[in-house]
Amino acid sequence: MADRAEGVIAGKRPRSVRAVLLALMIAMMLAMLDNMIVGTAMPTIVGDLGGLEHLSWVVTGYTLATAASTPVWGKVGDMYGRKGAFLGSIVIFLIGSALSGMAQDMGQLIGFRAVQGLGAGGLMVGVMAIIGDLVPPRERGKYQGMMAGVMALAMIGGPLVGGTITDNWGWRWAFYINLPLGAIALALVTVVLQLPKKRSKAGIDYLGVVLLTVGITAIVLVTTWGGTEYAWTSARIMELTGIGVAALIGFVFWQTKAAEPVVPLHIFKSRNFTLMAVIGFITGFVMFGATLFLPLYQQAVQGASATNSGLLLLPMLGAMLLTSMVAGRITTNSGRYKIFPIAGGVLMIAGLYLLSTMDTGTSRFTSGVYMAVVGAGMGCLMQITMLVAQNSVQMKDMGVASSSSTLFRTLGSSFGVAIMGALFNHRVQDVMAERAGAVGAKMTAKSAQLDADSLAKLPAAAREAYQHAVSSGTHSAFLLGAVVAVPVLIAALFVKEVPLKGGPKAAGEGADAAPQPMAEAL
């Protein structure tokens, strides 16, 4: 059966295979590209709709809805069929996109972005779970490496595409552009992809959904608001922390009682799955922290233009793309993978430490080399974690394994941005007070991140002080990242390498049983 699948991939049914892969890559692109495009368009949106005080909710509403719905989409796919769940997520995402483009005020835009986020939660999970359904374990690395390439391209090209669309067509097309792309993906999946329909006798675990949603929402709000909207010790942050912890404890308890739990806890009995959850969380922590502070450092200290901010990350994302593709190919050819989490941990720790050594005299070439080291580490980890997680569970839990891995990475990114951001802001404000006195402290009192226009208006002495402050802030943030990345290497050393099989095992052998091959699914 695996040979038949591999034959299809090699060319027996090339058009069908390419059509499905195209649909999956478009869906992945939609999920990754949207926030990048919208972020570039935000100044224009605020200028048109007003509501500057609610600006952060345009992103926060989308992020909350995406994080909260991710595990639900995975479970729905396991219970009722992957294809229907995936098509549903695309439709909801497109409805949210159309409504967001038609928004007449900031309140409407925030609400419609939340709808969009509900659909986005199922896009990435659907892509990974469908690959898990169609492709034998040993072949998955190759295809998941391709998806990592799509993610990297989206992060590089998003700001460029967003700026071009906004300047030439208007900000509403930042949302409308999703419609034709989504329609293509919808049509291809509907016509070409054939997966068996499922019907679970058990109903959806609504209490589990509510508890998990409340817990995730509270945690994301704590990491989003802490240190910015509210002090970390404020009553609001303490209340949200208490609510989040109580909801998640209640969720874990209820999952032991529910007939069809949203996240079946038995998947964490697999050592490899639990280790991949830890590695995924830390990878998200480091990756999104790096993508936040590197452009800031390059703009404030090295004088790079903010216009093409996506290109500033090209060394890191290019290395991530190349390494991910190579890792996927080697894994497919050899069936072995443990070396990649270990190498990824070493490279990530080394790269982050190197980034922490940057100062006001570091050249762009040197910082580019440091970024490439971090990117190579991420490339060894990004898709391998998903591959090993999927290989560690039974086929009936493929969806929740994919969604849980995605959720841990999402939560890691929230914590990374919040904790590294708090450390960065604190350090910048301290150095500004030391070097520029009361004037410097006042300049960064509201925000440690000055835009290009504000930076250009500063006197030379103040600008130099700010450059030293940003350099010091990035040093602290990346040094923290290097310390946080150490558990990745430790976890990787304890991974038990279960060879990825290219074909099916005997019925009932569990986690390593091969999925339905692509030949039969198309």
Side-chain angles (χ1 to χ4, degrees):
M1 187 179 296
D3 292 339
R4 288 164 56 196
E6 191 171 348
V8 172
I9 295 168
K12 290 184 180 179
R13 295 281 300 279
R15 292 183 180 178
S16 296
V17 172
R18 283 199 292 265
V20 170
L21 290 177
L22 176 62
L24 296 180
M25 285 191 287
I26 290 174
M28 178 71 79
M29 182 71 75
L30 290 174
M32 291 299 300
L33 197 60
D34 190 76
N35 259 342
M36 302 292 175
I37 292 178
V38 173
T40 307
M42 283 312 300
T44 306
I45 294 174
V46 171
D48 188 13
L49 299 182
L52 178 62
E53 67 276 14
H54 304 303
L55 174 65
S56 63
W57 274 104
V58 176
V59 175
T60 302
Y62 179 90
T63 303
L64 283 175
T66 301
S69 64
T70 293
V72 179
W73 282 114
K75 187 62 180 180
V76 168
D78 285 341
M79 293 175 65
Y80 300 110
R82 203 82 62 212
K83 180 176 177 179
F86 190 52
L87 290 174
S89 67
I90 295 175
V91 169
I92 293 174
F93 182 84
L94 295 182
I95 291 173
S97 298
L99 292 174
S100 296
M102 295 186 287
Q104 298 302 308
D105 57 50
M106 193 61 78
Q108 290 183 8
L109 180 60
I110 292 169
F112 296 151
R113 283 279 286 165
V115 174
Q116 199 181 17
L118 289 175
L123 292 180
M124 191 173 298
V125 172
V127 168
M128 293 303 176
I130 288 172
I131 290 177
D133 270 354
L134 296 183
V135 183
R138 187 159 169 171
E139 294 287 324
R140 287 178 200 157
K142 180 168 59 179
Y143 293 98
Q144 290 179 350
M146 294 170 60
M147 296 305 162
V150 172
M151 294 170 63
L153 290 174
M155 296 179 73
I156 294 170
L160 295 174
V161 173
T164 302
I165 290 174
T166 304
D167 291 341
N168 293 282
W169 298 348
W171 68 264
R172 296 184 186 276
W173 276 96
F175 299 104
Y176 291 150
I177 193 66
N178 293 329
L179 302 181
L181 294 174
I184 293 172
L186 200 62
L188 290 175
V189 172
T190 301
V191 173
V192 179
L193 182 63
Q194 301 298 324
L195 290 173
K197 295 182 179 179
K198 303 177 184 178
R199 181 66 189 179
S200 174
K201 294 181 179 179
I204 295 175
D205 177 18
Y206 291 105
L207 178 57
V209 170
V210 170
L211 289 171
L212 183 60
T213 300
V214 171
I216 292 173
T217 299
I219 288 175
V220 173
L221 286 178
V222 167
T223 56
T224 302
W225 285 348
T228 54
E229 298 288 329
Y230 303 95
W232 285 104
T233 56
S234 67
R236 178 61 57 86
I237 296 299
M238 293 295 102
E239 290 169 0
L240 285 171
T241 301
I243 292 171
V245 170
L248 292 179
I249 291 174
F251 171 76
V252 171
F253 173 78
W254 176 247
Q255 294 307 280
T256 64
K257 308 293 183 183
E260 193 65 54
V262 179
V263 180
L265 300 183
H266 66 255
I267 63 177
F268 292 97
K269 292 180 180 179
S270 167
R271 182 174 73 184
N272 277 5
F273 183 85
T274 303
L275 292 173
M276 290 305 109
V278 172
I279 291 174
F281 180 91
I282 297 174
T283 302
F285 186 107
V286 170
M287 178 179 177
F288 286 89
T291 55
L292 175 65
F293 296 112
L294 281 172
L296 180 61
Y297 169 84
Q298 290 176 308
Q299 292 169 37
V301 180
Q302 296 181 329
S305 169
T307 305
N308 299 327
S309 56
L311 296 177
L312 300 176
L313 297 174
L314 189 57
M316 183 178 76
L317 297 176
M320 185 180 79
L321 168 59
L322 179 62
T323 309
S324 182
M325 299 287 284
V326 171
R329 179 66 64 177
I330 293 175
T331 301
T332 295
N333 292 337
S334 67
R336 310 191 75 85
Y337 50 80
K338 183 173 180 177
I339 184 62
F340 294 110
I342 294 175
V346 171
L347 289 170
M348 188 180 292
I349 294 168
L352 288 167
Y353 175 75
L354 290 172
L355 288 175
S356 74
T357 64
M358 296 189 304
D359 55 27
T360 55
T362 304
S363 68
R364 292 190 189 183
F365 175 80
T366 301
S367 62
V369 172
Y370 295 168
M371 283 190 281
V373 176
V374 174
M378 291 178 182
C380 290
L381 295 169
M382 286 292 290
Q383 301 307 317
I384 292 296
T385 53
M386 179 67 73
L387 173 64
V388 177
Q390 289 181 339
N391 197 54
S392 303
V393 301
Q394 297 180 0
M395 284 300 298
K396 66 184 181 66
D397 293 322
M398 185 68 69
V400 293
S402 303
S403 63
S404 297
S405 297
T406 304
L407 177 62
F408 278 108
R409 188 177 299 168
T410 301
L411 293 178
S413 68
S414 295
F415 277 91
V417 170
I419 297 174
M420 292 175 76
L423 184 62
F424 172 85
N425 291 343
H426 180 73
R427 188 60 187 151
V428 168
Q429 290 166 351
D430 284 351
V431 174
M432 283 297 288
E434 292 172 6
R435 287 182 169 267
V439 176
K442 185 177 180 180
M443 286 166 46
T444 55
K446 292 185 177 181
S447 175
Q449 301 180 29
L450 302 182
D451 57 34
D453 291 338
S454 300
L455 189 60
K457 295 176 182 177
L458 294 179
R463 190 182 306 116
E464 182 180 355
Y466 185 69
Q467 289 174 342
H468 281 281
V470 169
S471 177
S472 180
T474 52
H475 165 77
S476 299
F478 288 126
L479 192 59
L480 171 66
V483 173
V484 170
V486 170
V488 170
L489 178 58
I490 297 173
L493 293 173
F494 285 95
V495 170
K496 181 180 179 182
E497 187 164 56
V498 180
L500 302 174
K501 303 300 181 181
K505 284 188 172 185
E509 283 194 68
D512 293 324
Q516 175 193 17
M518 194 173 281
E520 296 178 4
L522 301 176

